Amino acid sequence: MAPAFRYPDKPRRGDAVAVLSPSAGLPARFPVPYELGLTRLREEFGLRPVEYPSTRTAQASPAQRAADIHAALVDPEIKAIIASIGGEDELKVLAHLDPDVLRARPKPFFGYSDNTNLHLLLWSLGLVSYLGGSVMVQFGRPVAMHPVSGWSWHGPRVRVSGPAWGGNLEVVDFHLRTGRYLRPDDGYQGAVLFLETSEELPSASYVYRVLMCMGERRLLQRFAAIVWGRPKAWALDQPNDPAAKARYTKEQHEAVLAAVAEYHPGAPLVFGADFGHTEPQFIIPSGGTVTVDARSRQIEVTY
């Protein structure tokens, strides 16, 4: 069965929060959205952002980034940790983290994309963290924070509850391949699977194959429900027009539907939820209790 989870204490207005770059040190390269994000944390949320040595360091080593995570956790003044942005090599940071420190001083951790790595580690330790909300994207969006579209429902009309698990599909695939920070497959029994894809625009065939492999190892069948994020269907180097974006989304949905029909037809499946690489973005509590009610077509989340 899935582990029992601990919710960390929440920050309040006036509290200090650590702004870290556990993945890519992009505040050094793109200071404008980063500074805007810090301003919004101060002025709109009443928080006091605190930076650490590697926050604005473009090429910080995995050990340096891990040291900043430890420092933020042991500092009693820091009430939460918010990632500046994602990246591509946070997996390397995990080996430098001390699970005892993570367990002893849990604090809310916010981030998505490559930060799925740290969310999966915290999940394996029974700690709730928050999938979403990076300083340079959600808080640093120009003009104003993004204002929200409909979902599509498939499968049986049932109501199920369980801890949320998952994140970015490509990073989850890292962990399915390495296995180092995953629990035994039966540790996911009854959990709610959240998956979404990134601006790298993985193909529909890739999406199907990841789910196929989860099904063949009988991991996919452990989850009580599946919530699939609205895919990011364009990138700076691939500025798809509306027709191309609709086609990409349709092909991805068909791949997911095919895999779920083949391996787990008894699970309610929701498409189009706004988490991960979406705008606007809901934050998902990784390890937090989620209820998927296919009868009323509602998702209830405990933060």
Side-chain angles (χ1 to χ4, degrees), residues 87-261:
E88 62 183 10
D89 73 342
E90 191 178 290
L91 179 66
K92 299 177 182 178
V93 174
L94 303 188
H96 298 276
L97 294 174
D98 184 343
D100 291 335
V101 174
L102 300 180
R103 288 192 195 95
R105 299 174 175 85
K107 295 178 181 180
F109 170 68
F110 294 84
Y112 71 107
S113 191
D114 197 38
N115 294 292
T116 297
N117 285 288
L118 187 49
H119 288 300
L120 296 180
L121 174 58
L122 294 171
W123 201 97
S124 74
L125 299 175
L127 301 174
V128 172
S129 57
Y130 298 91
L131 181 65
S134 73
V135 173
M136 295 178 67
V137 184
Q138 284 69 44
F139 296 111
R141 181 179 176 83
V143 184
M145 294 180 71
H146 208 291
V148 184
S149 47
W151 304 338
S152 61
W153 293 74
H154 305 266
R157 297 176 68 87
V158 297
R159 176 184 171 94
V160 298
S161 297
W165 183 86
N168 176 248
L169 180 73
E170 298 100 294
V171 177
V172 168
D173 189 23
F174 291 170
H175 289 260
L176 294 172
R177 297 181 193 212
T178 60
R180 184 173 179 183
Y181 301 102
L182 293 181
R183 302 177 68 87
D185 286 2
D186 60 1
Y188 303 95
Q189 188 70 40
V192 176
L193 179 62
F194 280 79
L195 291 173
E196 53 87 29
T197 55
S198 76
E199 77 282 357
E200 294 183 359
L201 305 184
S203 68
S205 60
Y206 169 83
V207 170
Y208 172 81
R209 288 167 185 166
V210 174
L211 296 176
M212 174 185 71
C213 291
M214 292 178 70
E216 287 294 328
R217 67 185 279 177
R218 301 199 64 76
L219 173 59
L220 188 63
Q221 295 88 328
R222 302 281 186 180
F223 294 96
I226 302 168
V227 182
W228 200 272
R230 181 163 52 85
K232 193 172 186 70
W234 65 276
L236 291 176
D237 60 352
Q238 196 169 337
N240 290 334
D241 61 23
K245 290 192 285 188
R247 184 167 57 252
Y248 177 83
T249 299
K250 180 175 182 290
E251 290 173 353
Q252 184 177 109
H253 285 185
E254 289 173 347
V256 175
L257 283 169
V260 173

Side-chain angles (χ1 to χ4, degrees), residues 16 37 49 60 78-79 163 194 258 263 270 277-278 301:
I78 298 297
K79 303 303 182 183
F194 280 79
Y263 290 103
V270 187
H277 293 78
T278 61
V301 177

